[in-house]
Amino acid sequence: MGRHSLPDRPTARSTGARPGPRRRTVVLSTALVLAVAAGSVVALRSGLLPFGTRCDGPSVRLDVAASPDIAPAVEAVADTAREKATRTDGRCLDVRVVARPSHELADSLGQRPADPEFQVWIPDSSLWVDRVEGESGTPLTAAGNVASSPLALGAVPKAAKSLGWPNKRYTWAGLTESATSGGDLRLGVADPTRSATGLLALARISAANTEDAEDGDEADTRTAATAKLLYQRVADGDGQVMATLPRDDSGAEQGNPRRNQALPLSEQAAFAHNEGPDGGPDLDLFYPEDGTARLDYPYALVDQDEMSPEQSRAASRFMTLLGEPGGQRALRERGFRAGDGTADAEVVAAAGGRDPQPYSAAPADAPTAKQLQALLGMWTITVQSARISTVVDASASMGNLVPGRGGQTRMDLARNSLLQALATFTPEDEIGLWKFATHLDGEKDYQELSPTGRLGDREGDGGTHRDALAAAFGSLAPVPHGATGLYDTVLAAYEEARRTYTSGKFNAVVLVTDGANDDASSIGLDALVTKLGKLSDPGRPVPLIAVAIGPEADASALDRIVAPTGGSAHRVDDPSQIHQVILKAIMAAGSKAPR
């Protein structure tokens, strides 16, 4: 694919692509457009909107913050307005545009009180507007969408050919699996906490896994595994991840292990890369056939109640200019689609799309705020090393057979499931193991089998802590005549986790039990809950995650025990599902942890 130029022509009409703005946005946008239209008619009749005359009088200043990818197009429209002496309220429209990363401005606007520097904000996604609103930050009024760009997977030609481009079509899950399973293709991603592209791509992968998996726990496990793979080549943001692509066509450059060969990215980002003078090899685009997400570039008024009437009308006037043929041409020339998502054949071709890739398909439904929060929690656990103390019931009842599992006991299945969970952690994670049963170690009901340590650390025999921990898990066995010494064990494990709390990691205690407390000499439930409440610190959280196996487990007591720690209790009948429950619980706890 060579370098391209687009003809100077109006944007094609919609061919039925589903509009992206939410209902409230549509209503606001409609009201705003009607108000602008009515005001414009009055102004034209009054001679307040002359065009083509030099502006030598007073002006109305409007400050606009825009996502770096769309800022050049917005600035081009602003420059044209100044050159043509476009007016509002009889005064020249003076729009000043500054590029600001969307996540940075969302952080700023999400804090109150705020004194915004801008009257208009154009982030790359409504996700950021929703985030500010969810944090009760600076008031924002979404007035419509000025552009859009679908997400795809861009790959350098050699990698694209290996995946079957352009004829082979994939779902999001299939595409990601194919790009990560072989080990030969280097797939990078922008940090989902800083990039709407990264987060929306992860959301589509999660949705595809949910459709393919037999249940939600399996889907979560698949998504978490994919996130771990993606994190190996994560970049801080959109600009940074684009910089990881090869810079020239040389075989050495494309073979450089520090260079990525494929990225989830927007169509516009691929367009800018391919059209750039020194962007490196052109990218080819795969558009997932199960529905893509898209960046929707909302036009948001910032603290509208504090804007002057002149600024409000100037903001309305400028939005109108962005939607007029000249504004849409400026956007299209830089690789954007119209706000309704209609595909433009030449933009698609320049970006690297080609039939039979489904580049004109309607977008998938947007993820909910709750789904995104869960994904961010999962990502937090993926990128942030964990420090987890695992406490496993070794009472005699763990030797009970599980019906329908071929003679396997609760302990057999729990042990295997815990080993599966161990395999999902990285060398940077810190994991330890306790077991408990009444009078297991003298008068104590608990015993440390492996201290909580970094899995990648070498130990005395030359193996790693992971090796030693796997052996400790493998040694778990029911204690004959042992009863469930639950309460003293919980208190001791939690006190130790609080004492050894490590900043910058996700700290937690995971408890696995199949019974109720059987130690009459132990601390009582009420006293335990009170102690845990005093030990807990929201600023240094250590959630207690309890997994109750079978009907004899005291679920009500576990609910009370985990509550003051910010943790959760879960019931399973099949111990082989423990690893999925643990992963899901960790994701949920991570979504609530301070970031």
Side-chain angles (χ1 to χ4, degrees):
M1 186 189 300
R3 302 296 172 199
H4 316 279
S5 60
L6 295 178
D8 186 11
R9 59 176 179 76
T11 305
R13 289 187 176 272
S14 171
T15 56
R18 179 169 45 192
R22 296 160 295 179
R23 183 176 180 183
R24 66 176 178 83
T25 304
V26 171
V27 173
L28 288 167
S29 178
T30 302
L32 182 58
V33 169
L34 290 173
V36 169
S40 297
V41 170
V42 172
L44 284 168
R45 289 175 178 172
S46 305
L48 297 179
L49 295 176
F51 295 95
T53 59
R54 184 176 181 81
C55 185
D56 53 6
S59 62
V60 178
R61 171 76 173 264
L62 183 71
D63 289 292
V64 177
S67 177
D69 50 351
I70 201 170
V74 176
E75 190 164 17
V77 177
D79 289 344
T80 299
R82 277 192 294 272
E83 292 168 3
K84 292 186 174 182
T86 303
R87 297 180 183 246
T88 175
D89 284 339
R91 292 186 288 174
C92 289
L93 181 62
D94 181 16
V95 180
R96 306 297 176 91
V97 181
V98 62
R100 290 283 298 272
S102 297
H103 77 277
E104 289 184 4
L105 200 49
D107 286 341
S108 175
L109 294 174
Q111 302 173 13
R112 290 181 65 95
D115 183 17
E117 309 168 55
F118 315 101
Q119 292 79 52
V120 173
W121 180 31
I122 309 177
D124 58 6
S125 172
S126 296
L127 299 181
W128 304 115
V129 176
D130 292 341
R131 173 175 156 182
V132 173
E133 292 177 341
E135 294 174 352
S136 299
T138 304
L140 300 174
T141 304
N145 301 78
V146 299
S148 67
S149 190
L151 303 191
L153 186 113
V156 297
K158 182 178 180 181
K161 183 178 180 181
S162 72
L163 291 172
W165 184 88
N167 294 319
K168 190 166 184 180
R169 292 165 57 154
Y170 292 88
T171 64
W172 274 102
L175 184 57
T176 308
E177 182 180 1
S178 296
T180 56
S181 59
D184 297 328
L185 180 61
R186 298 185 294 276
L187 176 65
V189 69
D191 185 346
T193 66
R194 296 168 172 261
S195 163
T197 297
L199 181 56
L200 287 169
L202 190 61
R204 289 306 305 146
I205 293 168
S206 176
N209 286 332
T210 299
E211 292 175 3
D212 292 345
E214 294 183 1
D215 56 49
D217 288 337
E218 181 184 350
D220 290 341
T221 302
R222 289 184 185 180
T223 302
T226 302
K228 285 182 179 293
L229 290 171
L230 292 174
Y231 177 60
Q232 295 175 14
R233 304 190 70 87
V234 72
D236 282 345
D238 298 316
Q240 291 89 334
V241 78
M242 294 300 296
T244 66
L245 291 167
R247 292 171 293 189
D248 58 49
D249 291 302
S250 70
E253 180 71 359
Q254 294 199 43
N256 184 344
R258 298 178 62 184
R259 294 286 171 188
N260 287 315
Q261 298 166 304
L263 306 171
L265 78 176
S266 70
E267 182 182 82
Q268 190 279 331
F271 177 98
H273 174 88
N274 291 352
E275 293 293 288
D278 52 2
D282 280 1
L283 298 175
D284 298 321
L285 293 187
F286 290 91
Y287 294 78
E289 61 183 353
D290 52 342
T292 187
R294 71 178 186 185
L295 302 180
D296 59 354
Y297 301 93
Y299 190 91
L301 307 181
V302 181
D303 205 355
Q304 186 179 18
D305 289 344
E306 296 299 316
M307 294 168 61
S308 69
E310 293 78 14
Q311 287 175 324
S312 293
R313 287 191 286 271
S316 300
R317 184 77 181 97
F318 187 58
M319 182 179 173
T320 301
L321 293 177
L322 290 169
E324 290 177 350
Q328 288 296 292
R329 182 168 57 250
L331 289 160
R332 190 180 64 253
E333 287 174 348
R334 290 161 177 82
F336 293 95
R337 295 188 181 188
D340 65 0
T342 303
D344 183 289
E346 289 168 6
V347 168
V348 171
R354 183 186 299 176
D355 287 325
Q357 291 298 313
Y359 55 79
S360 61
D365 292 336
T368 66
K370 184 177 180 180
Q371 290 169 333
L372 292 175
Q373 185 72 3
L375 283 170
L376 286 173
M378 181 205 65
W379 184 260
T380 297
I381 301 306
T382 301
V383 304
Q384 184 182 42
S385 295
R387 179 178 174 83
I388 298 176
S389 300
T390 311
V391 184
V392 181
D393 193 341
S395 60
S397 59
M398 287 292 286
N400 291 347
L401 296 178
V402 178
R405 297 310 301 261
Q408 291 183 296
T409 66
R410 290 175 181 172
M411 183 63 87
D412 293 332
L413 295 172
R415 183 194 308 117
N416 293 338
S417 192
L418 288 166
L419 285 169
Q420 284 183 270
L422 177 62
T424 67
F425 290 97
T426 71
E428 298 301 320
D429 294 320
E430 300 178 26
I431 312 292
L433 176 63
W434 291 22
K435 68 177 181 179
F436 68 98
T438 51
H439 309 298
L440 187 63
D441 184 10
E443 292 300 313
K444 294 193 300 185
D445 294 336
Y446 48 88
Q447 181 180 19
E448 183 181 69
L449 298 182
S450 182
T452 303
R454 183 177 172 276
L455 292 176
D457 284 350
R458 294 286 171 180
E459 301 202 345
D461 60 357
T464 64
H465 181 60
R466 184 191 296 275
D467 298 329
L469 188 60
F473 275 118
S475 72
L476 285 171
V479 176
H481 310 296
T484 306
L486 181 62
Y487 295 165
D488 282 353
T489 299
V490 168
L491 180 58
Y494 200 76
E495 286 176 332
E496 179 66 10
R498 292 293 308 138
R499 186 185 68 80
T500 58
Y501 179 90
T502 303
S503 297
K505 293 181 179 287
F506 173 77
N507 294 251
V509 175
V510 173
L511 173 74
V512 178
T513 182
D514 74 338
N517 182 67
D518 290 323
D519 187 352
S521 64
S522 72
I523 187 173
L525 178 58
D526 290 341
L528 172 60
V529 172
T530 299
K531 284 262 193 183
L532 292 173
K534 292 179 179 178
L535 288 168
S536 298
D537 178 359
R540 294 160 60 88
V542 183
L544 174 58
I545 298 168
V547 182
I549 302 173
E552 294 88 10
D554 193 345
S556 62
L558 292 176
D559 285 337
R560 289 190 61 193
I561 288 169
V562 302
T565 73
S568 56
H570 308 264
R571 165 85 177 273
V572 297
D573 293 318
D574 184 351
S576 67
Q577 302 302 309
I578 288 174
H579 69 289
Q580 294 181 351
V581 172
I582 290 173
L583 179 59
K584 187 174 182 178
I586 287 174
M587 287 166 51
S591 71
K592 295 183 289 187
R595 285 191 291 274

